[in-house]
Amino acid sequence: MRRALFAATAFLSLVPTAQTVLAADDTPEAPYVDDRSSADAVIRSLYSAINRHEFARAWGYFGETKPAKDFDSFVKGYDGTDKVEVETGSVSDEGAAGSIFYNVPVAIRATDKTGGEKVFAGCYTLRQVNAQIQAAPPFDPIHIEKGALKPSTADFEEALPSSCGDGPPPPKKDAALEQAKKAFLATYGAQCDKNLLANEPETFSIKYKDKDAAASDPERETRLFHFSCSAAAYNESSIYYMSDDVSGVRQLQFTEPEMDIRYVNNDSEGKVESMHIIGFQTTGWATNSDYDQEAHTITTFNKWRGVGDASSSGTYLFRNGDFSLVQYDVDASYDGEENPQTVVDYNTAP
């Protein structure tokens, strides 16, 4: 006998998924997700469709029991919805008579078009009919049997049910990672490639001691989060966030020298006459970047054109809780060869 599925009071007509999804007209278009490989993937697909206003696709993720009396009522239920944030917990499953039933804990924070927010929590039930016993079309893929959420008085971060049926409790939430993801999406969501916005960032843990720390002092930790933002023909742009117990989550800024570059006869295709640093500036963008976990350095390499014969590159070393510019090279000649000159050097001993 399958596990108790949950106490349901009404079919859900708001919005859940395993990841944060945006749906407002003034935010980046939600990624297109159509994945029936798992129960939580179906939920993500459902709300990908909802947030993209592809309601016929959303309707199709339900089985014979639909979430509203008819399709028009289903669509109308989302008239006032602006955007939704969703969390799902650990999925439990139970086999029964040629099928597997999945129970998915869900919590959502729904924002309406006036800016009002409401939190709901509950469970979804999905069914997967054994593919081997489906001998004739149409094929019945994994689908949503039912889903019901109740209003919750808890904060969104605390509203997720610990389990549905006999499912295990959800894993502990990574608060720093979630805060970095929200900051990245809020600041750069409209500028980054849509297909990259749904990707999880690379995460790194940097253990170290301050320069003035005593031998008996414990190590400190800084978290580093690398978000891919855009990929052009020959340059890829990234954003980095850092987190520690002192400053919390903050965006990493990269120092770059401002160059005065002059060419013979003012011909930028000719020989370089002189290069001088006339100041320094910072940027949140890192081009063709890479973090070396052994050296604790972030390197950047900005191609000025596709062949890479003209470029600028930086090396940023982590020390005492932050990254510092220690080397910067510039190749200003468009001569078909890579011949950079070091203009900032704190790597080489005097």
Side-chain angles (χ1 to χ4, degrees):
M1 181 176 180
R2 79 186 191 209
R3 302 173 186 152
L5 296 180
F6 54 84
T9 60
F11 286 120
L12 178 65
S13 64
L14 280 168
V15 277
T17 123
Q19 304 176 11
T20 298
V21 182
L22 300 181
D25 292 339
D26 59 350
T27 58
E29 185 179 43
Y32 180 89
V33 180
D34 184 16
D35 184 355
R36 290 184 185 257
S37 62
S38 65
D40 53 344
V42 173
I43 299 301
R44 288 194 296 273
S45 300
L46 169 67
Y47 290 103
S48 162
I50 293 297
N51 290 324
R52 292 167 60 92
H53 300 157
E54 297 165 355
F55 296 111
R57 179 162 71 92
W59 184 261
Y61 291 113
F62 289 87
E64 293 182 2
T65 303
K66 299 299 184 182
K69 64 179 182 179
D70 54 44
F71 178 68
D72 289 341
S73 299
F74 174 67
V75 174
K76 189 174 181 180
Y78 293 93
D79 280 350
T81 302
D82 184 25
K83 63 179 180 180
V84 178
E85 298 171 81
V86 185
E87 287 288 335
T88 61
S90 297
V91 179
S92 60
D93 62 81
E94 180 73 22
S99 297
I100 301 175
F101 289 87
Y102 300 94
N103 299 318
V104 185
V106 172
I108 71 168
R109 175 165 56 198
T111 303
D112 61 32
K113 293 180 179 179
T114 67
E117 295 182 352
K118 293 183 180 179
V119 175
F120 298 82
C123 298
Y124 272 104
T125 301
L126 295 91
R127 181 184 183 188
Q128 179 179 355
V129 179
N130 189 336
Q132 295 180 345
I133 66 175
Q134 298 190 55
F139 179 75
D140 183 13
I142 184 171
H143 60 261
I144 300 169
E145 287 276 288
K146 56 184 176 179
L149 302 183
K150 296 179 181 179
S152 174
T153 58
D155 291 338
F156 172 59
E157 292 77 10
E158 306 296 331
L160 185 68
S162 60
S163 64
C164 291
D166 299 326
K172 186 176 180 181
K173 193 171 183 179
D174 189 334
L177 174 59
E178 292 303 314
Q179 186 177 345
K181 288 164 67 174
K182 289 179 181 179
F184 168 68
L185 197 59
T187 306
Y188 296 99
Q191 303 175 55
C192 296
D193 294 347
K194 294 175 183 177
N195 63 312
L196 295 178
L197 288 176
N199 293 345
E200 288 292 306
E202 289 185 288
T203 63
F204 306 95
S205 174
I206 308 173
K207 302 290 183 65
Y208 69 100
K209 286 190 175 184
D210 289 325
K211 62 178 180 179
D212 299 324
S216 59
D217 289 346
E219 285 188 324
R220 297 184 59 189
E221 180 186 19
T222 290
R223 305 278 303 284
L224 181 67
F225 308 107
H226 173 204
F227 293 84
S228 296
C229 178
S230 61
Y234 47 86
N235 282 327
E236 297 182 1
S237 297
S238 298
I239 303 294
Y240 288 80
Y241 286 84
M242 298 171 59
S243 175
D244 58 38
D245 58 353
V246 175
S247 302
V249 174
R250 64 193 188 280
Q251 186 180 348
L252 179 58
Q253 297 291 320
F254 296 90
T255 301
E256 296 178 344
E258 185 178 358
M259 304 298 300
D260 177 17
I261 303 172
R262 302 192 179 189
Y263 296 88
V264 175
N265 297 325
N266 291 323
D267 180 9
S268 62
E269 297 294 324
K271 291 184 178 181
V272 175
E273 183 175 71
S274 64
M275 290 197 305
H276 297 286
I277 296 175
I278 58 174
F280 287 86
Q281 53 193 4
T282 61
T283 178
W285 299 96
T287 305
N288 298 326
S289 66
D290 181 65
Y291 174 64
D292 186 328
Q293 298 186 68
E294 297 295 327
H296 290 178
T297 56
I298 296 175
T299 54
T300 63
F301 181 62
N302 185 6
K303 295 181 180 180
W304 296 2
R305 67 177 182 180
V307 294
D309 60 337
S311 64
S312 56
S313 59
T315 300
Y316 301 84
L317 174 65
F318 181 86
R319 56 189 175 195
N320 299 316
D322 211 340
F323 283 89
S324 300
L325 174 67
V326 294
Q327 184 170 331
Y328 202 85
D329 299 335
V330 176
D331 183 351
S333 58
Y334 296 85
D335 57 3
E337 299 180 1
E338 296 184 15
N339 42 18
Q341 298 182 44
T342 299
V343 297
V344 174
D345 187 2
Y346 298 105
N347 262 335
T348 305

